[in-house]
């Protein structure tokens, strides 16, 4: 048994960046032929799992295949290091990757701001209770009639009638909800096998739970232990290990 | 007070801890609750006397330094509240009225007619995640957690509150109007079995048929 | 400051008034809002400078007397919030708000730095459809529609909200952390490697086991 952390990708560009990082590739000299094959394998897995957003991945897969084809064409003989990049078919893709990387990095910096902000607590529901009246009174509500409440309900009902069954089913389980489900389960029992977490559940439930487990693993909230047989794995709560402990344990 | 650091945290002075807790608390906190929270964070439990002494010391400092709030004893606990001389000013500050968005209304309607109901069920009916709506409706005290379901994962059960009834001018849940649209929908042959089952349980006499 | 009593109220010191208002407010209050509330209660309007001076004086007193809260400037307004050293204790009372998912953060970062921006532009940068993220960010009131682009199809333009600023502890968009320059990423191979390492910080020895 060993511990792994599984990445979850935000999209095709993110997946490409992952390959580059994992293989320590030079971003300017991506071995497109090899990466394209691996990329396609991942897309096939996505299709197998029936994940949303496969279309976005297919588009980039096509771009990669196109570049691969272009690179197979014979190059002009003068291949000095300086001239080649200008005509490199990978150029546009690299520019896009780098641009995406900028915002990914910016997202990380924003997250650090939010992290610092989250440590500063405001008065929340207690604010406004300064006056003699009720303690912790929730904010006053703008008037709403029963009619509006019913109108809202009708909208839900209408929406329910139209979509075909499988679409509705697909939306039943959100990754967010399943993350909470997994967390709740693990709070009762710190370590559970994945099979036990999804026993007797529908395909949609299993897929959403699987993705939820991946996301929790990525966030470092759970460890995954592969079992020797390879057909199941254990999910274990990390109990908010500090960074040092995480590395010490690895 | 000895301040062991069993949890790896450097304890702050107890007075500051009490002030911080009362500052963010949504309800009055008892001496025991404050002592327990302190213990969880820092591994040692202050005595009741220590907590009470800290509260008195804080009130003295507030008075001496001209603060406009005091720690008051209220309903068996302690809370921070403003002093009377500032209330003429505060009367002019009204919290902005919270408006119920379509999302909140939808979620509230489903809960009202199908309570007690779990989040997965609400998500299922709405076809979208209701995380935000549930949190917000709880903040607005229109819904509350009423228990836990016995189904897988033991999800929380939600129901409406007294404030919900007051807000919509109802005496009891029995006063919730019937929906003629429900009957119409029921008679629509297009509707699938599952929808039928779902809609059916809106009828008060069929409430026991909810999952 | 002259303190007429046109409304028949005895005015309290401005510093106390500001403290009281910030104590009961559950959103950031602007200098203008505070001045207006004061004017309504006591008939005279303090200048912006007077209000700001009072805020600074309060923060100085809080610091000197060991209070665990400060007046923060967020989203163009002022709000009382606790200081960081008490958060380990407060976490035991109230869980901090849930973190935004990576999807939402990335989308939000693009909007924050490129606003006003259309959905097709966001989709292009991320390489994925941002429907869900945009809907969710609007629900969370972190972004809003700010208009329509003049380009083909007149797509909606998105921008960040005041709540966005408050959520990230920023006073204005000028306070956004610097957007890393493309040049920076392009020129320095060290930084290139380093960035990628930071972005995907897996333990090297476990790389082979990814799905």
């Amino acid at each position: 048994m060993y511990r792994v952390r599984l990445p979850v990708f935000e999209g095709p560009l993110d997946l490409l960046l992952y390959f580059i990082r994992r293989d320590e590739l030079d971003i300017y000299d991506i071995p497109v032929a090899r990466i394209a094959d691996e990329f396609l394998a991942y897309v096939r897995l996505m299709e197998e799992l029936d994940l949303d957003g496969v279309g976005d991945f297919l588009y980039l897969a096509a771009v990669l295949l196109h570049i691969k084809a272009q690179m197979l064409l014979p190059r002009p003989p003068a291949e000095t290091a300086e001239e080649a990049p200008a005509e490199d078919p990978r150029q546009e893709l690299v520019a896009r990757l780098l641009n995406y990387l900028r915002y990914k990095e910016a997202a990380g910096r924003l997250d650090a701001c939010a992290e610092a902000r989250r440590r500063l607590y405001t008065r929340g529901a207690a604010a406004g209770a300064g006056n003699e009246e009720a303690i912790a009174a929730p904010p006053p509500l703008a008037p709403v009639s029963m009619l509006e409440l019913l109108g809202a309900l009708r909208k839900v009902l209408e929406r329910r009638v139209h979509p075909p069954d499988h679409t509705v089913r697909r939306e039943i389980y959100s990754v967010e909800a399943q993350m909470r489900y997994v967390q709740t389960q693990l709070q009762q029992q710190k370590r559970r096998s994945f099979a036990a977490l999804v026993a007797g559940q529908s395909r949609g439930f299993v897929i959403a739970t699987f993705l939820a487990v991946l996301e929790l693993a990525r966030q470092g909230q759970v460890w995954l232990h592969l079992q020797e047989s390879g057909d199941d794995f254990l999910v274990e709560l990390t109990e908010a290990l500090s960074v040092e402990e995480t590395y010490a344990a690895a | 007070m000895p301040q062991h650091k069993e949890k790896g945290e450097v304890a702050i002075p107890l007075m500051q801890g009490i002030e911080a807790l009362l500052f963010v608390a949504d309800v009055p906190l008892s001496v025991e609750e404050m002592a327990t929270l302190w213990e969880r964070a820092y591994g040692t439990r202050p005595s009741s006397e220590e907590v009470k002494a800290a509260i008195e010391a804080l009130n003295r400092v507030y008075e001496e330094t001209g603060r406009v709030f005091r720690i008051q004893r209220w309903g068996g606990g302690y809370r921070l509240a403003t002093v009377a001389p500032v209330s003429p000013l505060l009367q002019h500050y009204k919290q902005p009225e919270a408006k119920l968005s379509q999302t909140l209304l939808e979620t509230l309607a489903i809960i009202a007619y199908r309570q007690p109901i779990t989040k997965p069920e609400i998500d299922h009916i709405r076809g979208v995640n209701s995380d935000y709506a549930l949190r917000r409706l709880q903040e607005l005290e229109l819904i509350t957690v009423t228990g836990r379901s016995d189904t897988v994962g033991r999800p929380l059960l939600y129901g409406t509150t007294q404030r919900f009834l007051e807000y919509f001018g109802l005496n009891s849940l029995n006063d919730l109007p019937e929906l003629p649209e429900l009957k119409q929908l029921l008679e629509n042959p297009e509707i699938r079995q599952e929808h039928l089952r779902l809609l059916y349980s809106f009828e008060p006499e069929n409430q026991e048929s909810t999952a």
Side-chain angles (χ1 to χ4, degrees), chain A, chain B:
Chain A
M1 241 188 234
Y2 54 100
R3 288 169 159 172
V4 292
R5 281 189 178 187
L6 295 159
V8 174
F9 304 106
E10 285 303 314
L13 296 174
D14 205 26
L15 178 57
L16 263 189
L17 282 176
Y18 169 70
F19 288 148
I20 292 168
R21 150 70 186 135
R22 187 199 55 189
D23 300 343
E24 299 192 349
L25 303 175
D26 181 350
I27 200 163
Y28 299 101
D29 193 20
I30 305 170
V32 174
R34 197 180 88 211
I35 293 296
D37 292 341
E38 203 172 347
F39 194 92
L40 276 175
Y42 186 86
V43 173
R44 263 181 239 118
L45 176 69
M46 283 186 75
E47 283 177 322
E48 176 68 20
L49 286 172
D50 197 18
L51 295 184
D52 286 339
V54 179
D56 297 322
F57 283 78
L58 281 173
Y59 171 77
L60 197 70
V63 170
L64 286 173
L65 290 176
H66 180 69
I67 295 173
K68 179 179 169 183
Q70 275 186 295
M71 289 182 72
L72 289 175
L73 294 174
R75 292 219 199 170
E79 250 192 297
T80 52
E82 299 305 312
E83 289 174 32
E87 292 165 16
D88 193 318
R90 297 171 296 189
Q91 201 180 21
E92 195 190 322
L93 179 63
V94 169
R96 241 187 116 178
L97 275 176
L98 285 169
N99 192 42
Y100 173 65
L101 195 52
R102 273 177 97 193
Y103 289 104
K104 201 170 165 62
E105 166 93 8
R109 293 184 191 185
L110 271 183
D111 196 28
C113 291
E115 193 56 46
R117 167 65 182 85
R118 263 194 291 276
R119 274 189 255 133
L120 311 184
Y121 287 73
T122 52
R123 296 208 60 229
N131 288 326
E132 278 67 12
E133 316 121 354
I135 308 167
L141 293 161
V144 170
S145 71
M146 200 65 216
L147 216 60
E148 285 170 273
L149 186 69
L150 294 180
L153 188 57
R154 199 178 313 131
K155 275 208 174 134
V156 182
L157 296 175
E158 280 166 6
R159 221 168 43 220
R160 288 279 308 173
V161 174
H162 299 305
D165 221 30
H166 67 271
T167 323
V168 176
R169 287 212 175 280
R170 190 176 286 183
E171 291 188 61
I172 298 172
Y173 303 104
S174 73
V175 175
E176 281 178 357
Q178 292 312 103
M179 281 169 71
R180 250 190 327 281
Y181 162 71
V182 173
Q183 283 167 327
T184 317
Q185 290 291 304
L186 293 180
Q187 266 150 24
Q188 288 162 13
Q189 192 183 329
K190 204 175 160 233
R191 187 189 276 202
R192 311 271 310 246
S193 88
F194 182 74
L197 282 172
V198 299
Q201 296 287 343
S202 70
R203 184 181 159 83
F205 185 96
V206 174
I207 290 172
T209 309
F210 179 67
L211 292 173
V213 167
L214 292 190
E215 179 60 22
L216 287 170
R218 195 184 65 77
Q219 292 179 8
Q221 294 194 44
V222 300
W223 290 114
L224 304 181
H225 304 271
L226 293 191
Q227 290 191 325
E228 314 239 331
S229 60
D231 53 7
D232 192 11
F233 58 91
L234 290 177
V235 187
E236 180 184 359
L237 210 56
T238 55
E239 298 269 34
L241 289 176
S242 70
V243 173
E244 293 84 336
E245 287 171 315
T246 306
Y247 281 100
Chain B
M1 197 193 65
Q3 295 190 338
H4 302 299
K5 289 174 284 176
E6 293 177 18
K7 304 257 173 144
E9 299 286 359
V10 179
I12 51 175
L14 181 61
M15 235 172 97
Q16 294 201 325
I18 303 289
E19 180 175 70
L21 287 171
L22 292 174
F23 183 86
V24 301
D26 298 324
V27 291
L29 293 180
S30 70
V31 168
E32 283 64 41
E33 284 168 317
M34 292 188 267
T36 302
L37 289 164
W38 180 274
E39 188 177 13
R40 279 198 207 136
Y42 301 118
T44 58
R45 190 182 179 86
S47 69
S48 301
E49 289 67 38
E50 285 170 320
V51 174
K52 284 180 192 159
I55 290 170
E56 276 168 35
L58 281 166
N59 268 339
R60 265 199 310 278
V61 174
Y62 294 161
E63 174 117 33
E64 285 162 10
T65 58
R67 300 281 66 76
V68 296
F69 41 79
R70 300 286 182 273
I71 301 169
Q72 291 183 345
R73 186 112 201 250
W74 191 283
Y78 294 87
R79 64 157 196 165
L80 272 175
T82 52
V83 296
V86 297
S87 42
L89 172 61
L90 295 183
Q91 277 165 13
H92 292 269
Y93 173 73
K94 281 217 187 69
Q95 292 187 72
E97 283 187 339
K99 213 174 154 314
L100 293 185
S101 64
Q102 182 64 27
T103 302
L104 295 187
L105 275 174
E106 279 181 21
T107 313
L108 187 57
I110 291 165
I111 295 168
Y113 278 89
R114 290 207 53 187
Q115 59 191 303
I117 184 173
T118 64
K119 180 171 136 36
E121 289 174 283
I122 299 167
D123 290 351
H124 181 81
I125 296 171
R126 293 188 59 222
V128 291
N129 188 315
S130 307
D131 256 344
Y132 164 76
L134 288 176
R135 210 181 53 218
R136 187 75 187 126
L137 288 171
Q138 281 182 89
E139 273 173 17
L140 295 173
E141 294 185 9
L142 292 170
I143 64 164
T144 186
V145 171
T146 59
R148 274 185 189 277
S149 160
D150 286 331
T151 57
V152 184
R154 304 208 5 96
L156 298 173
L157 287 166
Y158 295 92
T160 54
T161 60
Q162 186 61 35
R163 190 178 198 219
F164 165 80
L165 293 175
E166 285 163 16
Y167 186 46
F168 288 96
L170 306 171
N171 269 324
S172 78
L173 289 174
N174 293 330
D175 297 339
L176 274 175
E178 272 186 56
L179 271 181
E181 286 85 351
L182 277 179
K183 290 226 165 70
Q184 271 176 30
L185 283 165
L186 282 169
E187 282 150 21
N188 183 343
E190 299 278 298
I191 297 175
R192 283 183 195 75
Q193 199 63 33
E194 187 194 337
H195 295 149
L196 267 174
R197 188 182 56 75
L198 182 84
L199 298 175
Y200 223 66
S201 50
F202 279 103
E203 307 269 79
E205 64 273 23
N206 289 323
Q207 267 171 6
E208 73 282 3
S209 65
T210 49

